[in-house]
Amino acid sequence: MSERPSSSSSNPPNTPSQEHPAVAVDVVIFMIREGRLQVLLVKRRYPPFEGRWAIPGGFVHIDESLEDAARRELREETGVEDVYLEQLYTFGRPDRDPRMRVISVTYFALLPAGEIDVRAGDDAADARWFPVDDLPPLAFDHREIIEYALTRLRYKLEYTDVGFQLLPAEFTLTELQRAYEIVLGEQLDKRNFRRKILQSRILRETGRLRAGEGRPARLYEYRSDVRLQVKARRLFP
Amino acid sequence: MSERPSSSSSNPPNTPSQEHPAVAVDVVIFMIREGRLQVLLVKRRYPPFEGRWAIPGGFVHIDESLEDAARRELREETGVEDVYLEQLYTFGRPDRDPRMRVISVTYFALLPAGEIDVRAGDDAADARWFPVDDLPPLAFDHREIIEYALTRLRYKLEYTDVGFQLLPAEFTLTELQRAYEIVLGEQLDKRNFRRKILQSRILRETGRLRAGEGRPARLYEYRSDVRLQVKARRLFP
DNA sequence: CCGCCTTAGTGTTCAGTACACACTATATTA
DNA sequence: TAATATAGTGTGTACTGAACACTAAGGCGG
């Protein structure tokens, strides 16, 4: 980037101050399970906050990009590759880690609904899913990070097509609507929902049906090739 | 944050890998000048990219928050305090700085239109404003950063009230409309613009007038106490 | 096998907002 | 005082959002 050093020496400053912050990557992993929006947490095996729940994360390796580090963490806890991942925010309060200065670049991931066997990483004693509205006490500023991720997810859900990332490849319109209702925390109108989503041409009917308790439902798949244009309602004309 | 170390030792990992990235903060500073949207660039005094233009930035001090570091950079180049500042994105490609691994946490700032005397910091040979649509070759990945900041600014302009940060305390409706037109790069309808903005109650008439070539215009000020609610046009009902 | 239960699927009306569009008002200046 | 320049104002039309209830199709139990 640029290189004004911490100490304002008058020599060409080619290195930063000796003591610089550590850089960690933490990932808020969302999934719809049991009809609720849940996040994956790991139980810390070592101090600080030993025994507390935390979002998965770790230090970034010297030769990997930030996103690669986030994907590595994701893979270590869940085994999944190729899921939706987006940078969220970088948290850097000097006192956010009691041991030392740590900058945390946070990401959020969306996993498609379905069964995933989570595994605790080396430094975790356990790994579990928790509903976002029923979280245990968390380590560091991780609650703040999850709240922020949730705000962003809800926001993006309303004006982008990111919500499809929470569903498996094939789904019914009712399942899609449920996913939206679960994340947004409000009921949606069935006819308006279906009309609008079908008009958007973002779904393709697969031709298959899913049998269930009542009338079988048509199955659809997400057309990632259709670039969805959603205009924000403009503040000014 | 969390502390999986780079090396997967089996001991309690209380420190990150010895070698960790440096953390820099870079700030894209926007201002409307001479009827165009401009950014402040500094000319690098030292390698790498010696003599090239770059956005102002530097390494974060060990005991200051990221935002404090950004405000410090801003103050060093422009002398301003208390202006709009928002975290943009964190860039971390391993090869983005040829010297070493550097993570750049970027911010963007909006300065109110008016005269500002910019000063080159210690490690800069010069500091100048450049129109965003006429940038010189830039150091590092700074062009990408500016493009990203511009996208975000235009986007936020349409659905938040962030645009007022580009205007001085008192302004006419025509000046406000011009600011929007300059940033968005398109013409807006005068009557629709005025109706919508006055309906929003976000402006207060100061009672003063600004004389000029034609009929004097009423002066307004921004009411930061009015929380502006702008709903995005929802993808789904 | 048929009636009941359960979920899927479908249109219309009303209200609010977006957008297009042209003239009058008030000051300065020649 | 006439010309020029900018400020300020209202209406009609088209579209989009929101509210709302019934029919269709399959499964299951009597």
Side-chain angles (χ1 to χ4, degrees):
Chain A
M1 179 48 10
S2 34
E3 78 287 39
R4 190 156 313 126
S6 307
S7 54
S8 319
S9 82
S10 53
N11 287 332
N14 280 328
T15 51
S17 66
Q18 272 67 359
E19 203 188 6
H20 45 250
V23 178
V25 167
D26 293 286
V27 188
V28 181
I29 305 170
F30 287 112
M31 184 176 177
I32 292 179
R33 290 180 78 240
E34 301 159 355
R36 305 172 81 178
L37 182 65
Q38 312 211 0
V39 288
L40 183 63
L41 300 179
V42 298
K43 192 171 207 164
R44 293 175 58 81
R45 185 186 290 276
Y46 304 114
F49 295 104
E50 182 181 351
R52 279 245 188 155
W53 293 94
I55 58 178
F59 290 106
V60 60
H61 295 182
I62 199 66
D63 59 349
E64 74 186 345
S65 74
L66 297 171
E67 181 171 326
D68 286 347
R71 290 200 182 275
R72 177 172 51 76
E73 293 297 334
L74 192 51
R75 194 177 338 106
E76 285 173 8
E77 303 307 334
T78 66
V80 302
E81 317 256 357
D82 302 326
V83 298
Y84 183 84
L85 185 70
E86 172 180 328
Q87 189 181 302
L88 183 63
Y89 196 76
T90 299
F91 294 83
R93 277 209 339 267
D95 60 351
R96 58 184 294 286
D97 188 316
R99 294 167 297 174
M100 60 180 163
R101 182 72 194 276
V102 179
I103 304 294
S104 171
V105 183
T106 62
Y107 282 78
F108 76 93
L110 303 180
L111 305 200
E115 270 320 300
I116 297 239
D117 55 320
V118 299
R119 7 171 162 174
D122 296 342
D123 54 354
D126 197 2
R128 255 199 60 193
W129 293 98
F130 289 85
V132 295
D133 50 9
D134 190 17
L135 295 174
L138 296 178
F140 305 108
D141 50 3
H142 287 192
R143 172 171 284 269
E144 185 188 349
I145 294 172
I146 292 177
E147 297 293 347
Y148 189 67
L150 198 47
T151 302
R152 178 97 136 244
L153 172 60
R154 289 194 172 123
Y155 195 64
K156 292 205 84 161
L157 204 66
E158 295 201 348
Y159 68 94
T160 74
D161 54 1
V162 81
F164 293 99
Q165 307 297 332
L166 287 166
L167 291 163
E170 243 187 5
F171 49 85
T172 68
L173 291 182
T174 300
E175 288 165 352
L176 179 61
Q177 186 179 339
R178 287 284 168 275
Y180 271 81
E181 290 174 340
I182 287 166
V183 177
L184 297 177
E186 62 181 305
Q187 300 279 106
L188 301 176
D189 181 87
K190 187 173 170 182
R191 278 170 293 188
N192 291 340
F193 183 84
R194 292 163 102 94
R195 174 170 7 90
K196 193 148 185 181
I197 200 170
L198 292 175
Q199 272 175 4
S200 77
R201 312 292 311 152
I202 204 173
L203 295 187
R204 189 194 338 260
E205 220 181 307
T206 64
R208 284 185 287 278
L209 296 176
R210 170 163 306 161
E213 265 196 278
R215 172 175 172 176
R218 289 191 249 241
L219 287 165
Y220 293 83
E221 61 189 0
Y222 171 57
R223 296 181 59 185
S224 54
D225 56 315
V226 178
R227 266 291 134 249
L228 189 53
Q229 305 283 41
V230 184
K231 287 203 282 195
R233 178 176 297 160
R234 306 176 93 193
L235 178 48
F236 305 117
Chain B
M1 180 46 11
S2 33
E3 79 285 41
R4 192 156 310 127
S6 307
S7 54
S8 320
S9 81
S10 52
N11 287 331
N14 280 327
T15 51
S17 66
Q18 273 66 1
E19 204 189 6
H20 44 248
V23 179
V25 167
D26 293 287
V27 187
V28 181
I29 305 170
F30 287 113
M31 185 175 175
I32 293 178
R33 290 180 76 241
E34 300 158 357
R36 304 172 82 177
L37 182 65
Q38 310 211 2
V39 287
L40 182 63
L41 300 179
V42 298
K43 192 171 207 163
R44 293 174 59 81
R45 185 186 290 277
Y46 305 113
F49 295 104
E50 183 181 351
R52 279 247 187 152
W53 293 93
I55 57 178
F59 290 105
V60 59
H61 295 183
I62 198 65
D63 58 350
E64 73 186 345
S65 75
L66 297 170
E67 182 172 326
D68 286 347
R71 291 202 180 273
R72 176 172 52 78
E73 293 297 333
L74 193 51
R75 194 177 339 106
E76 284 173 10
E77 303 309 332
T78 66
V80 302
E81 316 256 358
D82 301 325
V83 297
Y84 183 84
L85 184 70
E86 171 179 329
Q87 190 182 302
L88 183 63
Y89 195 77
T90 299
F91 294 82
R93 277 210 337 267
D95 61 349
R96 57 184 296 285
D97 188 316
R99 293 168 297 174
M100 60 178 162
R101 182 71 194 276
V102 179
I103 305 293
S104 171
V105 183
T106 62
Y107 283 78
F108 76 94
L110 304 180
L111 304 200
E115 271 319 301
I116 297 241
D117 55 319
V118 299
R119 5 169 163 174
D122 296 342
D123 55 354
D126 197 3
R128 254 199 60 195
W129 293 98
F130 289 86
V132 294
D133 50 9
D134 190 18
L135 295 173
L138 296 178
F140 306 106
D141 50 2
H142 286 192
R143 172 171 283 270
E144 186 188 348
I145 294 173
I146 292 177
E147 296 294 347
Y148 189 67
L150 198 47
T151 301
R152 178 98 136 243
L153 172 61
R154 289 192 172 126
Y155 195 64
K156 292 205 83 160
L157 204 65
E158 296 202 346
Y159 68 94
T160 74
D161 54 0
V162 81
F164 293 99
Q165 308 297 333
L166 287 166
L167 291 162
E170 244 188 4
F171 49 86
T172 69
L173 290 182
T174 299
E175 288 166 352
L176 180 62
Q177 186 179 341
R178 287 282 168 276
Y180 271 81
E181 290 173 340
I182 287 166
V183 176
L184 296 177
E186 62 181 304
Q187 300 279 107
L188 301 176
D189 181 86
K190 186 174 171 180
R191 279 170 291 186
N192 293 338
F193 183 85
R194 293 163 100 93
R195 176 171 3 92
K196 193 150 183 179
I197 201 172
L198 291 175
Q199 272 175 5
S200 77
R201 314 291 314 150
I202 204 171
L203 294 187
R204 188 194 338 261
E205 221 181 308
T206 64
R208 285 184 286 277
L209 296 176
R210 171 163 306 162
E213 264 198 278
R215 171 175 172 177
R218 289 191 249 240
L219 286 165
Y220 293 83
E221 61 189 1
Y222 171 56
R223 296 181 57 185
S224 55
D225 55 317
V226 179
R227 266 292 134 248
L228 189 53
Q229 304 284 40
V230 184
K231 286 203 283 195
R233 180 175 295 161
R234 305 176 95 195
L235 176 48
F236 304 116

